[in-house]
Amino acid sequence: MAEIVAGAAASVELAAGIWRIAEDQGFVEKVIDFFKKRDKILVLGSTGTGKTNLISSLGAVTGHVNAIPRDARTQTAESHRVRLENRPLLVVDTPGQALHAPQREEAIRDAMKGEGLVRVINVVANGFHEFATSASSAVENGKPREEFLQQQRSTEIDSLKSWVPLLGDRFQTAWVLTVVNKADLWWERRDAVMDQYRAGPYADAIRASDSRLKHAVLPYCSVIHRFYGEARLPGEFDDENRLAITSHFLRELVVLG
């Protein structure tokens, strides 16, 4: 019990620390204005990459974000009122499963019909997708199965190819921000992981609709959590890292505009 209480207290302090940095550096109001000026920001990505957890974490400046159970998947496009400094912000979470591709595509088309430019946050996880499949298919002897990770990395690109053509060109889509979530699981390889999403097949798929489409890649960590609750954490990532990359993420949202 003492460990649970201590962990919750550390999470609250971390969240408060992010908020203090945002206030000190003067970008809290800019982040709030960023969201308020846009009717919708689409959050896309394959199932199990942590889209819903990311959305929840944006407003968790005074509390703890728990890992969502892997069998609790988003089934339809859902609008979320995220709160920053008690102000509601609107982002749209979309289902990542191949089964729900029609719902995902409908959400994108609805966004494209509106006025103004569409903004997209695509959540990936370097293959660390956690969903309703057995832990033994993803973890062996306390370590992630490399074949599982490779398969999910391919799924990320296949998913892109299914919805990028719906985005139109840069006159319709302001930018696509790739958020590489679950940094606690891959941080020791961060340079290689970030390069993987900034270039190569992944970046080519992003720019398929318009080669001049603005694309940025940022690391993120919604919650520090063992993969499938079993794999050992690498130990290269801590709350200080999480605070730093979360603050950087908020600043870059403002810069993207």
Side-chain angles (χ1 to χ4, degrees), residues 154-201:
S154 296
T155 297
E156 291 175 349
I157 296 177
D158 291 342
S159 176
L160 280 181
K161 291 178 179 178
S162 72
W163 57 257
V164 163
L166 302 177
L167 296 181
D169 56 27
R170 68 191 186 286
F171 299 108
Q172 296 170 286
T173 304
W175 44 255
V176 175
L177 172 59
T178 293
V179 176
V180 192
N181 201 11
K182 306 189 182 183
D184 55 320
L185 301 178
W186 51 260
W187 196 241
E188 75 281 3
R189 298 179 54 251
R190 53 190 175 276
D191 291 339
V193 170
M194 297 301 286
D195 287 345
Q196 168 188 320
Y197 291 102
R198 287 174 174 148

Side-chain angles (χ1 to χ4, degrees), residues 97-115:
Q97 303 98 313
L99 177 65
H100 299 302
Q103 293 95 319
R104 181 169 59 253
E105 292 171 5
E106 182 180 2
I108 297 172
R109 290 192 177 96
D110 285 346
M112 298 300 295
K113 291 176 185 176
E115 296 181 0

Side-chain angles (χ1 to χ4, degrees), residues 72-91:
R73 299 294 96 191
T74 300
Q75 304 293 317
T76 61
E78 299 176 356
S79 296
H80 290 265
R81 289 287 179 180
V82 177
R83 303 190 72 84
L84 283 180
E85 203 181 36
N86 293 321
R87 302 186 190 186
L89 314 170
L90 181 65
V91 293

Side-chain angles (χ1 to χ4, degrees), residues 200-222:
Y202 181 91
D204 291 342
I206 285 283
R207 297 189 175 97
S209 62
D210 186 338
S211 62
R212 292 168 290 182
L213 182 66
K214 186 186 297 184
H215 175 225
V217 182
L218 294 175
Y220 199 79
C221 179
S222 305

